[in-house]
């Protein structure tokens, strides 16, 4: 077993994820008993460039060059699915990235439809916190809702507007990971992929 620190490099497409993704990754590491993981600040690349042929490949190659050789961990690409089917686009992007750096563990996760849908999947755990009412329930369409950010704004009781750069990281620290995983297939995949980056074994 490697004695090197688990190191995760990542690429995201949204400014809110720059601070929110490390929060979630640290929480998952702590759940695995890993207290000293090296979670690198995410690299920001717009979605159009990532999805375009050559875009993700160049980003993954650049991130791979900065990872310590032989260390557990790898590269995580987190992208909003928007109107694309995660089951179609995700494997396609992963294949492209893996061809470029077959020597690295790589994961591509598409949040369905957006990162904030994971908050909605665990909405009851946000009740009474961060400006939310106490009686929040999981919306039935949380993985198909087009405007999860608008849903969060609509349900705030303090009159505030949900702002990813301000609110996403605090909510990432509050939402119930197990509840989100139970209600969201894309968050469950995210958790399984993080486990793969740590241990090198994919869970179906």
């Amino acid at each position: 077993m490697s004695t090197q620190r688990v190191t995760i490099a990542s690429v995201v497409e949204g400014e809110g994820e720059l601070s929110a993704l490390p929060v979630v990754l640290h929480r998952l590491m702590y759940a695995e008993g890993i207290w000293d993981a090296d979670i690198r600040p995410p690299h920001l690349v717009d979605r159009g460039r990532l999805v375009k042929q050559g875009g993700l490949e160049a980003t993954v190659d650049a991130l791979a060059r900065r990872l310590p050789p032989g260390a557990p961990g790898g590269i995580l690409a987190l992208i909003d699915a928007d109107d694309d089917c995660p089951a179609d686009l995700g494997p396609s992007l992963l294949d492209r990235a893996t061809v470029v750096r077959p020597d690295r563990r790589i994961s591509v996760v598409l949040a369905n439809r957006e990162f904030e849908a994971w908050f909605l999947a665990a909405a009851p755990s946000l009740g009474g916190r961060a400006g939310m009412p106490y009686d929040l329930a999981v919306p039935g369409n949380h993985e198909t809702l087009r405007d999860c950010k608008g849903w969060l704004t609509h349900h705030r009781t303090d009159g505030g507007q949900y702002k990813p750069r301000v609110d996403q990281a605090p909510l990432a620290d509050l939402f119930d990971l197990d509840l989100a995983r139970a209600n969201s297939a894309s968050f469950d995949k995210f958790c399984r992929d993080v486990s793969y980056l740590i241990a090198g074994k994919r869970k179906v």
Side-chain angles (χ1 to χ4, degrees):
M1 186 175 182
S2 174
T3 57
Q4 291 181 279
R5 296 170 70 192
V6 173
T7 302
I8 305 288
S10 61
V11 56
V12 298
E13 55 141 319
E15 292 187 348
E17 281 93 279
L18 289 174
S19 54
L21 177 60
V23 171
V24 180
L25 288 174
H26 276 297
R27 292 183 66 191
L28 291 174
M29 294 293 163
Y30 297 158
E32 294 287 338
I34 300 171
W35 308 101
D36 63 346
D38 181 7
I39 306 298
R40 303 281 174 85
H43 192 63
L44 181 65
V45 179
D46 71 70
R47 188 181 191 282
R49 185 176 162 198
L50 281 175
V51 173
K52 184 179 179 181
Q53 192 72 35
L56 179 62
E57 293 91 327
T59 301
V60 165
D61 187 46
L63 292 173
R65 293 174 186 274
R66 300 171 196 161
L67 288 176
I75 300 163
L76 169 66
L78 176 61
I79 305 169
D80 287 350
D82 292 340
D83 291 331
D84 287 308
C85 173
D88 293 334
L89 182 58
S92 170
L93 293 174
L94 179 60
D95 288 346
R96 285 169 40 191
T98 304
V99 166
V100 174
R101 294 305 301 242
D103 57 322
R104 294 291 188 180
R105 296 172 191 166
I106 301 171
S107 169
V108 177
V109 177
L110 272 69
N112 196 19
R113 293 180 181 259
E114 55 187 289
F115 187 103
E116 285 82 356
W118 296 346
F119 297 153
L120 273 58
S125 65
L126 301 178
R129 311 169 83 175
M132 295 294 169
Y134 284 94
D135 57 347
L136 273 182
V138 177
N141 60 343
H142 62 278
E143 286 213 294
T144 57
L145 192 65
R146 285 182 177 275
D147 185 14
C148 295
K149 297 175 179 66
W151 189 96
L152 290 165
T153 293
H154 176 74
H155 284 80
R156 287 182 69 146
T157 58
D158 59 1
Q161 180 181 2
Y162 173 79
K163 298 178 180 178
R165 282 192 290 182
V166 175
D167 300 314
Q168 196 165 339
L171 291 180
D173 196 33
L174 290 173
F175 79 119
D176 187 309
L177 301 178
D178 291 334
L179 185 58
R181 192 169 183 177
N183 289 327
S184 167
S186 67
F187 187 66
D188 179 61
K189 181 186 186 304
F190 172 82
C191 294
R192 286 186 282 114
D193 277 26
V194 171
S195 294
Y196 161 68
L197 293 178
I198 297 170
K201 296 180 181 177
R202 290 197 183 276
K203 298 177 181 178
V204 179

